[in-house]
Each structure stands twice: as structure tokens, then as C-alpha cells.
Amino acid sequence: RLQPDSRFRKTGPDGTDRGPYPYAANIYYLAPGGKDQADGLSMRQPWRTLERALKALRPGDTLYLAEGEYVAAVWKGSGNGKVPIRVGGRGRGTVVIRGRWQVDGGAGLALERLNFPDGVDVTGGRDVNFANCTFGGTPDALRADKVKGLRVEHSIFANGALSLRQTEDVFLSGNIHAAAGMPAVRMNTADAIRYSDYNSYTAMSPC
């Protein structure tokens, strides 16, 4: 899809953008060398901090993070649960979020291809999805408290567990639970998980 400063914008028939998808101001970029004073709409003008980027995201927006390290920021009340907000790593490079990431009250959030060495807390949200992520943090690598609709797929729990408290409608598939000697999932109600299959564990007994 064209970026805002592409030379192919408005050069198609009847002054339209060339290519299958016309430009729209709903894809943003983050890079360690960016500037928060930039418009964030291209890899030539990316933002630098998650704090700046998360405040701007609205339903239907996508935020791509370039390879590198970023400092975690609190993400509060974003999304409407109808059209998702996507935050993901760009390309094959590793994206690392330092510090424990706090996601409070969001609805319709999709996080993809991100590495959280200090873990994630999700509180009071709904329809929150993680895919192809790596979670660190001990003992709780990903903690979900009062969340309705949590989906975790093809992710790695390196040295901690998935912790569910007053959380429901959880979908787990294709995850690797690599932490030794601890449960894969902690939960305070047996019916928190709606579906769980194709997950891998270091040993059956502790998990």
C-alpha cells in the first residue's frame, strides 16, 4: 500500500492512487531512530516512543514497529471491540518491549510479533489477541485480570506462566510453554478456557 509521500499517489486514472489500495491515514510506524514530532505515517517519518504512538491509535489503525527496543507504556481504554487496533513488529527483525506492558480496559486489540521480556498485564479489557509473541517475566509472563475474550496463538512463554483471574472465553492454540517446573496456566476458575489445543510443554507433570 502506498505511503503518504509516494510518487505514485494521485497518478492513476482520474487522479487516483496507483496500486490495489489507495492511501489512507490509518497505518503508523515506530522506529528507535524516529521522532515523536513526526507525523508517524511512513518509515521516513516514524514516531520514536510507544507512549506517543498509543495515544494516537483509533479503531481500524495499525502500528508497525521497526526492529529494535522500546520502553513499555500504559495503553488505556483504546478500541471499540468492533474494528481492531493492530500493533505488530514490521518484517523479520526482533522487536523488544522493555518493562512490563500495562494494557488497561482495551477492546478489540491485536498484538503480533512482539517480544515482552518483562511480561504483560491486561486488565479489564475484551477481545484482546496475541499472536507470534514471546513472553518473559516470572512467575506471570502474561497476566489477564477481568478480561472477556483473550486469544493467544503461536506464542512462547519463556520463563513464566499464563495467569488468568476472573477472565473468561480464553482461546489458546499452538503455544510453547518453556518454563520448567511451573504450571503452564494459572486460573481461579476451571471454566475460564473455552478452547486449548496444539500447545507444547516441557513436562506434563508440572504443567
Side-chain angles (χ1 to χ4, degrees):
R1 200 189 79 167
L2 299 182
Q3 293 192 359
D5 53 358
S6 170
R7 64 187 177 91
F8 295 107
R9 287 199 63 199
K10 303 185 185 303
T11 61
D14 301 322
T16 58
D17 290 349
R18 291 187 182 274
Y21 302 105
Y23 170 75
N26 60 4
I27 294 183
Y28 299 94
Y29 299 85
L30 202 63
K35 295 181 180 179
D36 284 349
Q37 296 74 28
D39 61 23
L41 290 168
S42 73
M43 280 303 295
R44 287 171 289 279
Q45 293 288 326
W47 290 324
R48 184 177 65 86
T49 67
L50 273 171
E51 183 178 12
R52 167 67 179 90
L54 295 177
K55 290 178 181 178
L57 297 181
R58 299 294 181 265
D61 288 351
T62 295
L63 175 66
Y64 284 124
L65 283 69
E67 180 178 6
E69 295 191 3
Y70 303 86
V71 177
V74 177
W75 195 6
K76 299 190 71 171
S78 292
N80 58 14
K82 298 177 181 178
V83 182
I85 299 175
R86 299 189 178 277
V87 177
R90 182 175 187 267
R92 294 186 176 183
T94 301
V95 175
V96 178
I97 311 297
R98 295 289 180 188
R100 195 166 182 94
W101 198 356
Q102 309 285 330
V103 181
D104 296 338
L109 310 180
L111 299 99
E112 305 165 351
R113 302 183 305 280
L114 301 172
N115 189 321
F116 304 100
D118 303 305
V120 179
D121 290 335
V122 182
T123 305
R126 60 186 175 89
D127 299 325
V128 180
N129 301 334
F130 292 90
N132 300 106
C133 292
T134 300
F135 301 96
T138 302
D140 297 333
L142 171 57
R143 182 165 54 230
D145 189 0
K146 299 178 182 178
V147 178
K148 183 175 182 179
L150 175 69
R151 192 178 188 101
V152 186
E153 298 179 273
H154 303 289
S155 295
I156 299 174
F157 291 83
N159 55 2
L162 169 61
S163 179
L164 307 173
R165 292 192 58 80
Q166 300 182 54
T167 290
E168 57 183 296
D169 197 16
V170 178
F171 183 101
L172 306 173
S173 178
N175 301 299
I176 298 174
H177 295 270
M182 69 170 58
V185 181
R186 293 187 175 95
M187 52 189 172
N188 67 335
T189 175
D191 58 358
I193 297 177
R194 173 169 59 88
Y195 176 91
S196 179
D197 207 349
Y198 304 105
N199 303 294
S200 299
Y201 313 92
T202 54
M204 289 301 295
S205 176
C207 85

